[in-house]
Amino acid sequence: QVQLVESGGGLVQPGGSLRLSCAASGMIFSIYTMGWYRQAPGEQRELVARISTLGNTDAADSVKGRFTISRDNAKNTVYLQMNNLKPEDTAVYYCNARTSRSGYKNDLWGQGTQVTVSS
């Protein structure tokens, strides 16, 4: 069974840090581009950051310099290190997996983890 399970969300004060983790199972993790998306109430889901199978990364302008995405293929896990958090970072954060390889499940999503930035 293919599964993505996020963890690490919570309540943090502005300027604080959190590290999100997404553990994958039931899939060949290394062939997937992994991404973190977020959705705030009343807003559309947006890309936060993603990391390719080769480790190349990109991120939304709003988080550049503050958030870092990384992956550990040996642990089938992708991380999002979030520093200098701002109230506008408050959202549900979702893990996503995509591959262009045929024959594999594509566009997979986790259940989400809540991040709340508030004093």
Side-chain angles (χ1 to χ4, degrees), residues 10-104:
L11 173 64
V12 63
Q13 292 186 344
S17 298
L18 284 174
R19 188 175 82 153
L20 306 183
S21 299
C22 171
S25 59
M27 57 193 281
I28 303 175
F29 183 76
S30 61
I31 70 170
Y32 286 86
T33 289
M34 301 300 298
W36 286 98
Y37 290 72
R38 67 186 181 187
Q39 188 168 20
E43 302 290 333
Q44 289 190 333
R45 192 172 295 188
E46 63 175 0
L47 174 68
V48 177
R50 60 188 168 197
I51 184 166
S52 74
T53 57
L54 297 179
N56 299 314
T57 63
D58 63 2
D61 288 342
S62 60
V63 306
K64 283 180 180 176
R66 301 188 297 122
F67 291 9
T68 302
I69 189 171
S70 61
R71 66 189 296 161
D72 185 338
N73 287 349
K75 295 183 178 180
N76 288 356
T77 301
V78 61
Y79 305 97
L80 185 69
Q81 178 66 44
M82 305 186 293
N83 298 328
N84 190 22
L85 282 158
K86 303 176 181 181
E88 52 264 41
D89 295 318
T90 295
V92 178
Y93 284 70
Y94 297 91
C95 180
N96 173 260
R98 295 184 180 176
T99 182
S100 59
R101 298 271 294 268
S102 60
Y104 296 91

